[in-house]
Amino acid sequence: MIKNEQQEIVVVAKEISTSVEPTNGEINTPSSVVSNSVVSNTDSSNEEGSNTPRETAPKPRHNKKPRYNKEKANQETNQEGNQENEQENNQENGEQEAPLPRKKPVHNKRKNNPNNEFPENDNSAVAWTSDLKKANAINEKSHRDRLNPHYKLNLNTNAKIRITPLGGLDEIGGNMMVIETDKSAIILDVGMSFPDENMHGVDILIPDFSYLREIKHKIVGIVLTHGHEDHIGAMPYLFKEMQFPVYGTPLPLEMIGAKFDEHKMREHRRYFRAIEKRVAYKIGDFEVEWMHITHSIIDSSALAIKTEAGTIIHTGDFKIDHTPIDGFPTDLHRLAYHGENGVLLLMSDSTNSHTVGFTKSEKTVGPTFDNLFAKAKGRVIMSTFSSNIHRVSQAIEYGLKYGRKVCVIGRSMEKNLELAMRLGYIKFPKDQFIDAHEVHKYEDKEILIITTGSQGEAMSALYRMSIHEHRHIKIKEGDQIILSARAIPGNEASVSTIINHLLKAGAKVAYQDFSEIHVSGHAAQEEQKLMLRLVKPKFFLPVHGEYNHALKHSQTAVDCGVLERNIHVMSDGEQIEVTPKYLKKVKTVKTGKIYIDNQLNHKIADDVVLDRQTMANEGVVMIVAQINENDRKMVQMPRVRSFGLVPDKQDKIFSTEIEELLELFLTNCKPGVFKNNKIFEDEVRKVVRKHCVRKYKKYPMIVPTLFVQ
Ligand SMILES: [Zn+2]
Ligand SMILES: [Zn+2]
C-alpha cells in the first residue's frame, strides 16, 4: 500500500518535472522567443557570442529576410512589454541614468553577422565595434539584465502567496512556517526548541498549532528541509492532533519514523513520501523541488517552491562546503538555474550572519583528529552532536586508522549511527564495533569511544563517565577527550562544568584550543552573499535566527543588490503577503510555545508551569482558618505555613503577622464578603500579598483555605 502510493507520487513527479522544466532551461526570456532555431539563437542579443559550435551553425540566412525581421520584431515587442519591469530593475540596481533606448538597435551591423565574427576587412562594421564607449554602455546594460532577471516575473498575475513563520524567528530553534495560497497551504518544517531555566520540569517546547487548526482544511502537506531537532522535533506532537503527507529526503523521514516508533504511532509512517532531489513535486498549488545543500547533518535540502506568483527559494539550514565528506557539495548549479529564471523571494539561514568570511569545510576537522589520535597513548573519547554523522564518521575513520576498536555509547548516538549505516549513508565494517562491556578486554590504546554529552548535559553518558557514575566506563588518567562541538548559547556553564569534571578525573581535554576541532554547519557572510548572488531574488526574508541575526543578514542582502524596501525582518506570527509587485505584512496570527514533558510525552498546561515558576522564585504561603460570620472573629488561631519565604526560625513571627492581618481584615471588610467563599479567599489573598510585598519584597503563591460558620 505504502509502496504503491509512493510509486504514484514519483510518476506524477516525473510528469511535472518535464512540464515545468523546458529542455533549454529558459522560460519567457527575450532570447527564448527567438531561440527556436539555431539561426535565431545566434541572432539574438547575446553579445558575448553564442556557444553554438560553429560546425553546427547553419549557413547565414540573408535570403530569408522577412522571417528574420519577424523574429526581431517579436524580440522587440517582448522587450517593450518588459520595459516597465526593466525600468524598475534599473531603479533596483540603484541606477539613476535613463535606460538605454530600446527601439534603436545599437548594433545593427552584427545582426547581419550570424556567427558573431568580427569582420576584419568590412569597414561598415567597424562603426560599432570600434565605438568603445557605446560598447561599454551595451555591456553595462548586459550586466543590469543579468543582475535583475525579475522582468521574467509575471507582473500581470493576481496570484498572492502568504508566508507565516510560526517559530524559528526571534529565537534559535522551533522552526516552522506556513506557505499558502487561497486554496492550499504547505507546512515547512515542524521543529522543537529547548526551555530556559525558568520553565521547571519542561523538557522541550513545541510551536503553538492554533493557526494550523484554523487553516487545517487547506493544508496539503508538510515539506522538510533536514533532520535536525529544531526542524522535525515537534512532528509526533503535531501528528497526535492532525496528519498530512510528509515530503522529504530519507534521513529526516527515518528520524521522524524513529520518533513515531517511540511514541507508539508507527502507523503514521504511511504518510511519508520520500522525494528525489532535483525533481519538482506537485503539492496543492505548489510545485516543490528539493535541492542538495551542505550542513552539519547529511541529506539536507534547500527548496524551490514554484507558485503562480513566482518561485520561492528557501535555503533550509546551510553552509557552502565545497569538500564535504560524502563528496556531494551544495547544488549551486540548480540554485543558479532558478536564479537565472527569476526568483520572486528568497528566505535564507541567518544563524551566522555576524561571522565574516567562509565557514570552514567539514573536512578541515580531519587533520585535527589525525593529530590527536596519533599522539594519544590511552583511550580516545570523542563527543559531538549525535546528528553530525560526518563528524562521527571522521572520528571512526581515524580510530580505525590507528588500530582502535569503536565503542558507541549514548542512546541518540547509537540510534543515529545505526540509522545512517542502515540507510547506506556511511559504511564501516561491523566487526570493528564493540559494546561498552567489552572495552575492558582491550588495551587503552586500542579503544575509541564515541559518545554524547558535548553540551554538558547532566544525563549524558560523558557526564556520567566523568563523575564515575557510568556502569562500564570511568574517566581516568591517560584518556584523551575530544569535545568536537561548540556550546550552544545558554549551555556554556554546563560545558564548563563537564570539562572541570573530566580534568579532575585526570583526562586530557581537547576543546577549543584547536580552531579546527569543530566547524559550524551554518553559512558565514561570504556564503550568504554567494546564495544571494546565485538566487538574485526580488524580495528577501531572512529566517532562522534571533532578530539581530536576521537584521544583520538583511544588511548583507542590501550589499548584494536587494532593495532595502524589498526586505522584511519577520517575527513569529507575522503574515507576509508577496506578489511580483509587492511584499507586505498583512496580519498577525497566534503563536507561542507549548510545554512538553518528555517522560509522559504530552503537554504541560501553561498555568502549571507558571505556578512552578512562582513557587520557585517567590515561595508559598498556606493559611487555614475558621471564621465565625456573626462576630467576625476566627474560631481559633489560624494555621500558617510558608515555604521559600522566611527562614524556619522566623516562622512564628510570620505566623503572628498573618494572624494580626486577618483580624484587622475581618473587622473592616464588607459583610457580603463571607457569602461567597471564592471572593472571600481572593480578598484574603490580596491582603496577604500586599503584606509580603511590603515587608519581604516577594510575590509568593498564597493558598488560603477558609471555613465560614
Ligand atoms: Zn536549524
Ligand atoms: Zn540544522
Side-chain angles (χ1 to χ4, degrees):
M1 183 65 192
I2 297 168
K3 203 173 174 190
N4 285 343
E5 274 178 27
Q6 290 194 347
Q7 276 168 349
E8 238 176 72
I9 297 288
V10 172
V11 171
V12 172
K14 296 274 187 204
E15 280 168 16
I16 296 159
S17 72
T18 49
S19 68
V20 296
E21 294 167 9
T23 44
N24 66 357
E26 294 290 328
I27 307 165
N28 292 334
T29 65
S31 61
S32 73
V33 176
V34 289
S35 66
N36 298 331
S37 70
V38 182
V39 171
S40 53
N41 197 10
T42 53
D43 279 343
S44 80
S45 57
N46 181 358
E47 294 307 328
E48 295 181 10
S50 166
N51 287 332
T52 313
R54 294 280 154 82
E55 309 88 82
T56 58
K59 284 172 193 152
R61 296 168 64 169
H62 300 293
N63 54 342
K64 289 191 178 178
K65 223 166 186 180
R67 183 188 160 165
Y68 169 80
N69 282 342
K70 192 179 160 198
E71 284 172 353
K72 192 164 142 290
N74 276 347
Q75 184 184 346
E76 284 182 2
T77 317
N78 190 305
Q79 282 173 345
E80 262 180 277
N82 284 315
Q83 208 151 18
E84 186 196 328
N85 303 355
E86 289 200 11
Q87 273 167 0
E88 191 193 342
N89 292 331
N90 290 334
Q91 285 166 14
E92 282 185 19
N93 218 6
E95 300 286 341
Q96 295 306 316
E97 63 206 74
L100 285 171
R102 281 276 155 214
K103 287 183 181 170
K104 216 188 247 177
V106 285
H107 45 282
N108 275 352
K109 300 295 171 196
R110 298 190 74 190
K111 289 283 178 197
N112 295 325
N113 179 8
N115 286 337
N116 279 353
E117 283 167 355
F118 285 99
E120 280 170 29
N121 299 318
D122 180 355
N123 283 340
S124 64
V126 177
W128 184 84
T129 52
S130 64
D131 187 343
L132 298 186
K133 192 177 173 195
K134 207 172 248 178
N136 189 29
I138 287 165
N139 277 304
E140 255 184 54
K141 189 210 154 284
S142 167
H143 282 310
R144 281 198 296 270
D145 283 355
R146 79 177 166 86
L147 286 172
N148 289 301
H150 310 144
Y151 60 84
K152 295 170 187 172
L153 297 171
N154 178 10
L155 277 180
N156 299 321
T157 180
N158 289 323
K160 295 182 181 104
I161 303 297
R162 289 191 171 195
I163 290 167
T164 320
L166 298 175
L169 286 155
D170 295 332
E171 63 175 333
I172 296 288
N175 297 284
M176 180 158 89
M177 173 182 278
V178 175
I179 302 178
E180 63 189 293
T181 62
D182 287 342
K183 290 197 282 306
S184 56
I186 49 175
I187 305 171
L188 197 152
D189 289 340
V190 185
M192 51 144 270
S193 49
F194 289 105
D196 63 38
E197 65 275 17
N198 282 323
M199 301 171 190
H200 306 278
V202 177
D203 299 307
I204 63 166
L205 304 174
I206 60 167
D208 186 328
F209 299 140
S210 299
Y211 183 63
L212 300 183
R213 280 173 211 122
E214 223 175 276
I215 59 158
K216 190 179 166 189
H217 60 280
K218 66 173 185 176
I219 298 175
V220 287
I222 297 167
V223 296
L224 301 172
T225 60
H226 66 292
H228 273 151
E229 289 291 344
D230 61 323
H231 297 260
I232 63 164
M235 279 293 284
Y237 302 97
L238 179 67
F239 265 62
K240 278 175 192 182
E241 196 181 330
M242 43 188 136
Q243 302 86 35
F244 311 103
V246 191
Y247 300 82
T249 51
L251 188 82
L253 288 178
E254 184 54 41
M255 289 177 99
I256 294 169
K259 286 178 190 298
F260 282 177
D261 296 350
E262 271 173 38
H263 284 255
K264 301 201 169 38
M265 43 205 284
R266 208 186 147 74
E267 71 282 5
H268 289 329
R269 279 174 177 260
R270 71 193 155 92
Y271 287 97
F272 291 171
R273 311 282 188 266
I275 58 84
E276 181 187 340
K277 283 175 179 173
R278 284 187 157 219
V279 172
Y281 292 81
K282 176 108 180 113
I283 307 172
D285 284 347
F286 308 93
E287 279 168 23
V288 187
E289 177 195 330
W290 278 253
M291 295 173 281
H292 186 71
I293 210 134
T294 44
H295 183 40
S296 46
I297 186 169
I298 47 181
D299 216 3
S300 296
S301 312
L303 302 176
I305 304 168
K306 278 194 181 165
T307 73
E308 216 186 305
T311 300
I312 297 169
I313 303 274
H314 191 293
T315 63
D317 291 7
F318 80 100
K319 69 195 265 185
I320 294 176
D321 190 341
H322 299 298
T323 54
I325 301 302
D326 59 7
F328 301 137
T330 294
D331 197 345
L332 299 175
H333 302 86
R334 204 62 197 158
L335 289 160
Y337 162 80
H338 288 294
E340 201 62 4
N341 284 333
V343 167
L344 174 69
L345 167 69
L346 170 68
M347 290 184 267
S348 182
D349 175 3
S350 308
T351 316
N352 279 355
S353 294
H354 293 288
T355 312
V356 294
F358 288 91
T359 298
K360 284 182 183 160
S361 169
E362 178 61 33
K363 223 167 211 165
T364 61
V365 176
T368 310
F369 278 3
D370 198 4
N371 186 13
L372 286 164
F373 276 79
K375 286 183 186 154
K377 302 253 177 332
R379 302 182 296 190
V380 174
I381 299 166
M382 197 284 291
S383 183
T384 188
F385 301 103
S386 66
S387 58
N388 196 336
I389 303 296
H390 278 161
R391 187 71 49 83
V392 172
S393 74
Q394 288 203 83
I396 295 175
E397 196 183 299
Y398 288 102
L400 298 181
K401 177 181 168 186
Y402 290 100
R404 292 170 184 266
K405 295 281 177 200
V406 184
C407 172
V408 182
I409 304 178
R411 205 165 62 99
S412 60
M413 190 65 86
E414 290 168 43
K415 198 180 73 185
N416 287 339
L417 195 64
E418 184 276 325
L419 201 148
M421 286 176 76
R422 179 158 44 84
L423 295 187
Y425 289 100
I426 50 169
K427 293 170 188 78
F428 286 109
K430 284 228 164 83
D431 60 355
Q432 296 304 304
F433 290 82
I434 56 168
D435 284 336
H437 68 265
E438 295 172 296
V439 167
H440 73 274
K441 293 183 191 162
Y442 296 84
E443 282 184 51
D444 288 351
K445 64 175 191 320
E446 292 173 328
I447 293 294
L448 162 65
I449 294 170
I450 290 178
T451 187
T452 51
S454 63
Q455 295 302 301
E457 304 95 318
M459 296 300 287
S460 67
L462 186 62
Y463 192 92
R464 282 181 285 130
M465 290 175 202
S466 75
I467 56 168
H468 291 188
E469 276 186 10
H470 193 274
R471 222 172 117 203
H472 300 291
I473 314 288
K474 289 174 179 48
I475 301 296
K476 59 181 185 188
E477 217 176 313
D479 285 344
Q480 171 68 61
I481 317 288
I482 304 174
L483 289 184
S484 182
R486 189 157 296 154
I488 292 171
N491 290 349
E492 293 87 351
S494 43
V495 172
S496 191
T497 305
I498 201 169
I499 291 175
N500 288 331
H501 285 309
L502 292 165
L503 292 170
K504 272 186 200 166
K508 278 190 193 160
V509 181
Y511 181 40
Q512 286 174 340
D513 6 21
F514 302 85
S515 64
E516 277 131 31
I517 202 162
H518 170 71
V519 292
S520 171
H522 295 275
Q525 281 170 10
E526 295 306 317
E527 291 148 281
Q528 292 178 339
K529 287 179 193 171
L530 178 53
M531 182 61 76
L532 283 153
R533 287 301 193 187
L534 283 171
V535 174
K536 303 186 275 194
K538 175 156 184 176
F539 297 106
F540 178 61
L541 294 172
V543 292
H544 203 282
E546 293 172 24
Y547 186 79
N548 71 83
H549 303 131
L551 194 67
K552 184 73 190 166
H553 200 180
S554 67
Q555 188 53 52
T556 304
V558 171
D559 294 345
C560 290
V562 184
L563 273 189
E564 204 167 343
R565 64 178 153 89
N566 286 352
I567 301 173
H568 181 80
V569 179
M570 295 188 288
S571 290
D572 287 341
E574 280 189 348
Q575 188 160 87
I576 304 297
E577 186 168 278
V578 59
T579 78
K581 291 195 187 109
Y582 64 82
L583 175 142
K584 65 178 183 192
K585 180 188 159 184
V586 285
K587 68 171 179 175
T588 305
V589 308
K590 186 169 182 273
T591 51
K593 294 291 172 206
I594 306 295
Y595 307 117
I596 300 291
D597 182 331
N598 256 354
Q599 301 300 311
L600 303 166
N601 279 339
H602 64 61
K603 70 181 222 181
I604 316 171
D606 292 7
D607 56 326
V608 172
V609 178
L610 282 176
D611 285 351
R612 288 177 189 170
Q613 269 173 19
T614 311
M615 288 191 277
N617 299 333
E618 313 286 332
V620 187
V621 177
M622 298 168 88
I623 305 159
V624 182
Q626 206 172 354
I627 289 115
N628 189 321
E629 197 180 344
N630 297 328
D631 62 4
R632 294 183 164 214
K633 289 229 164 16
M634 284 178 279
V635 176
Q636 56 193 23
M637 289 264 288
R639 291 194 58 176
V640 179
R641 299 288 308 274
S642 76
F643 303 93
L645 187 71
V646 295
D648 284 354
K649 56 184 178 197
Q650 273 184 37
D651 269 352
K652 242 197 167 117
I653 304 170
F654 183 69
S655 223
T656 317
E657 284 168 15
I658 300 297
E659 192 188 334
E660 287 168 2
L661 208 65
L662 281 179
E663 277 172 355
L664 196 69
F665 169 75
L666 291 171
T667 337
N668 297 330
C669 71
K670 293 177 196 148
V673 156
F674 302 114
K675 297 276 180 260
N676 182 326
N677 211 274
K678 194 176 171 302
I679 295 177
F680 184 31
E681 287 185 357
D682 276 351
E683 291 297 316
V684 169
R685 215 176 268 129
K686 271 186 211 161
V687 174
V688 177
R689 179 172 300 127
K690 219 170 175 180
H691 173 75
C692 293
V693 172
R694 212 164 38 215
K695 183 146 188 200
Y696 302 99
K697 306 279 180 284
K698 285 282 166 199
Y699 294 86
M701 174 179 285
I702 299 156
V703 192
T705 312
L706 307 171
F707 303 96
V708 182
Q709 51 177 230

